[in-house]
């Protein structure tokens, strides 16, 4: 009999949602000796079962596997066989580390990053996200996750008229970018690295392909995205999802250039009601799960099913990421 390489375990922070653990947590089978090659081979062999688990739970945490470095993480990501998604149009400052591995948002440790679906404000977004803990935080720094369909259900119950209007009009996101990156800001990615060029004409062309309009201002560019749907249908699971960056933009897109209140509006240009934004934030927090990072952890997220955020932390902390189609 062939031994199962992955063993499901439970952590105190997990929730059970619709009969499934959130997230699913997998550890190595203690009866087997694991090195990195055995781990990557197991991923390839068990990929259909791992994908079934991801579909059921929305997120899978791999804990205590022999993954120590960015290169190890890159090999693990490649073992899944997903195509890489270039990071074009995203707001966060990131640095390429190795292969298809980047730093996660490099904004200062005292700043929280609000809940969002990765790149929900642009038409081409990743379907899968991988996060890897290369160095665990001294304290804090969790990456809370929340199931998007639960947020939609809560919001529809509490604010039916608002949700109806959101479904009708969608959202417009507006962000002002400098030329270069600003590492002090959670949305500090400059237009040159956002569009991978220093040529304004090429930037405009790439922005247009994302459904984005650029208006050049004195020290940078105003980037207008939308109207874009705020609620999507997850066709695979046949349920509606809260697929937007509304709370993240309204509460977190703040720096020397940007006023978060102006960062997101209804698709017809009218302002969003502040009390409902903060009501949504409360729902996100109440539904979320936050598991403290442990060195070597890999968290795989279905970006259609799950929103994520980041808590403030005491350094050191080094979380790496990879975005996949």
């Amino acid at each position: 009999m062939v031994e199962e390489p992955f063993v499901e375990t439970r952590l105190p922070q997990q929730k059970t949602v619709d009969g499934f653990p959130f997230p699913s947590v997998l550890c190595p089978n203690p009866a087997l000796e694991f090195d990195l090659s055995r781990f990557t081979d197991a991923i390839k062999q068990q990929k259909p079962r791992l994908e079934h688990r991801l579909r059921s739970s929305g997120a899978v945490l791999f804990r205590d596997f022999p993954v120590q470095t960015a290169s190890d993480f890159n090999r693990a990501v490649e073992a899944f066989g997903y195509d890489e998604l270039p990071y074009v149009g995203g707001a966060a400052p990131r640095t390429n580390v190795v292969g298809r591995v980047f730093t996660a948002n490099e904004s200062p440790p005292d700043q929280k990053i609000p809940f969002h679906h990765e790149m929900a404000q642009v038409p081409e977004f990743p379907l899968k996200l991988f996060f890897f803990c290369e160095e665990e935080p001294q304290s804090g720094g969790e990456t809370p996750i929340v199931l998007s369909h639960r947020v939609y259900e809560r919001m529809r119950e509490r604010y039916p008229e608002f949700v109806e209007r959101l479904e009708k009009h969608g959202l417009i996101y507006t962000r002002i970018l400098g030329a270069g990156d600003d590492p002090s800001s959670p949305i500090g990615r400059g237009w040159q690295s956002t569009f991978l060029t220093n040529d304004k004409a090429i930037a405009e062309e790439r922005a247009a392909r994302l459904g984005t309009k650029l208006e050049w201002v004195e020290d940078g560019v105003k980037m207008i995205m939308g109207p874009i749907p705020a609620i999507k249908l997850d066709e695979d699971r046949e349920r509606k999802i809260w697929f937007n960056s509304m709370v993240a933009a309204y509460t977190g897109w703040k720096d020397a250039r940007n006023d978060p209140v102006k960062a997101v509006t209804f698709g017809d240009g009218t302002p969003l009601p502040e009390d409902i934004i903060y009501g949504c934030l409360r729902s996100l927090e109440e539904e979320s799960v936050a598991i403290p990072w442990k060195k070597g952890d890999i968290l795989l997220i279905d970006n259609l099913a799950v929103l994520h955020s980041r808590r403030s932390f005491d350094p050191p902390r080094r979380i790496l990421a990879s975005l996949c189609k």
Side-chain angles (χ1 to χ4, degrees), residues 18 51-59 127-128 147 149 233-241 301-306:
D18 302 330
E51 289 188 321
H52 177 74
R53 190 176 288 273
L54 182 66
R55 185 184 182 281
S56 301
S57 292
L127 296 179
K128 311 273 194 314
L147 284 160
H149 74 287
L233 177 66
D234 180 346
E235 294 179 3
D236 185 38
R237 299 175 179 87
E238 298 181 334
R239 63 195 187 195
K240 288 187 176 181
I241 51 173
I301 291 176
D302 182 328
N303 192 39
L304 273 178
V306 172

Side-chain angles (χ1 to χ4, degrees), residues 235-301:
E235 294 179 3
D236 185 38
R237 299 175 179 87
E238 298 181 334
R239 63 195 187 195
K240 288 187 176 181
I241 51 173
W242 191 255
F243 196 84
N244 61 69
S245 297
M246 179 185 79
V247 168
Y250 196 95
T251 66
W253 285 15
K254 182 178 183 180
D255 61 14
R257 290 184 172 85
N258 290 277
D259 174 359
V261 174
K262 297 175 182 175
V264 60
T265 65
F266 281 114
D268 61 3
T270 54
L272 297 172
E274 184 177 28
D275 61 325
I276 295 180
I277 299 284
Y278 283 94
C280 182
L281 178 57
R282 284 192 297 275
S283 293
L284 286 159
E285 293 286 357
E286 287 162 8
E287 292 287 339
S288 70
V289 170
I291 296 173
W293 283 110
K294 184 178 177 183
K295 180 175 171 58
D297 280 352
I298 293 177
L299 178 62
L300 168 57
I301 291 176

